[in-house]
Amino acid sequence: HETRYEYRIAAFDFCQNFFNYSNVSSNILLNAYQDSEEYLSILKWSPYETWNGGISNYRIFRSIGGDVGYSPLTTLNSNDTFHEDDVFDLIETHGEFCYYIEAWENTNSFGRADTVRSNIACAVQEPLLWIPNAFVVGGHNDIFKPVAGYLDFDRYQMQIFNRWGKEVFFSNSIDVGWNGYHNGKIAPEGSYIDVITCSAGNGRTIEE
């Protein structure tokens, strides 16, 4: 669900005679946004309401890439409705981070404590792609390849063309760059064109 709503339960006896309504409660609505300048996922949610025992804490769960299971990320106080998740150390992932929130109740007057879960919300970091503009065979920077982050590295390719449009190098691995050789010989010094095609965490195709 991606809407905040209120609900209550109507109780009937076995003869379908109306008995009473429960209290009115509401769901937890979670929203997630990316801050690509600070490498953050920003989470905001509406508080869960009207528990008999009150809220003990909120627990955040995260999935990386959207295709793996959710793991506990952190536990927050009962009055927290905001969290920033620093994802800079996860720069080598696809850049898609999905979350849900669990609210945990204090032990209530019925001697139990319940939990309730929010919707799933995802934040996708903007891809990072730094492409060098020169390299020297045998020099300090002797392999031509980009430095990248928050990309789907399974859908990556780089092509190098000479000035006449002939392909002199191809790679479909971010870890494999061009060493300046073509057909077993050092390619002539000059200008070359690189075309890098890859995908962002949300599936958007990028071509540089």
Side-chain angles (χ1 to χ4, degrees):
H1 53 266
E2 297 180 355
T3 304
R4 181 169 170 80
Y5 55 88
E6 294 183 339
Y7 57 91
R8 65 181 179 178
I9 296 174
F12 294 81
D13 63 20
F14 285 108
C15 297
Q16 298 301 307
N17 296 310
F18 173 73
F19 177 68
N20 204 352
Y21 286 112
S22 71
N23 59 305
V24 176
S25 191
S26 61
N27 61 311
I28 304 173
L29 179 61
L30 172 64
N31 290 291
Y33 314 89
Q34 91 282 359
D35 182 339
S36 295
E37 293 185 358
E38 300 294 334
Y39 310 108
L40 297 172
S41 292
I42 299 174
L43 308 180
K44 298 179 181 180
W45 61 93
S46 58
Y48 192 67
E49 297 178 348
T50 63
W51 249 337
N52 176 273
I55 296 173
S56 170
N57 57 68
Y58 288 106
R59 302 183 187 186
I60 301 177
F61 294 77
R62 180 181 68 189
S63 174
I64 300 173
D67 54 1
V68 295
Y70 285 82
S71 300
L73 179 64
T74 188
T75 299
L76 301 174
N77 295 325
S78 60
N79 57 348
D80 287 326
T81 57
F82 176 86
H83 181 71
E84 293 182 346
D85 181 27
D86 187 341
V87 295
F88 180 77
D89 290 340
L90 300 171
I91 198 171
E92 295 183 356
T93 68
H94 293 183
E96 181 183 28
F97 304 96
C98 296
Y99 304 85
Y100 69 81
I101 305 288
E102 280 187 352
W104 286 62
E105 185 185 19
N106 292 308
T107 301
N108 57 38
S109 60
F110 304 101
R112 57 176 294 170
D114 284 323
T115 61
V116 67
R117 180 180 296 186
S118 75
N119 58 303
I120 292 174
C122 300
V124 180
Q125 290 289 320
E126 283 296 314
L128 302 175
L129 193 63
W130 296 281
I131 305 173
N133 59 8
F135 78 114
V136 178
V137 176
H140 178 71
N141 179 25
D142 60 350
I143 300 292
F144 183 89
K145 63 178 182 179
V147 177
Y150 300 132
L151 292 178
D152 184 349
F153 296 103
D154 295 328
R155 301 175 61 188
Y156 164 90
Q157 69 175 31
M158 180 175 71
Q159 299 166 280
I160 306 292
F161 300 90
N162 62 20
R163 66 180 65 188
W164 296 281
K166 179 181 179 181
E167 185 180 274
V168 298
F169 178 78
F170 173 84
S171 172
N172 57 10
S173 171
I174 190 69
D175 297 318
V176 179
W178 187 34
N179 63 2
Y181 282 74
H182 179 59
N183 291 334
K185 299 179 181 180
I186 297 178
E189 181 179 344
S191 298
Y192 292 81
I193 298 171
D194 65 271
V195 179
I196 296 174
T197 306
C198 51
S199 294
N202 58 2
R204 176 168 56 91
T205 299
I206 300 166
E207 186 174 85
E208 295 284 350

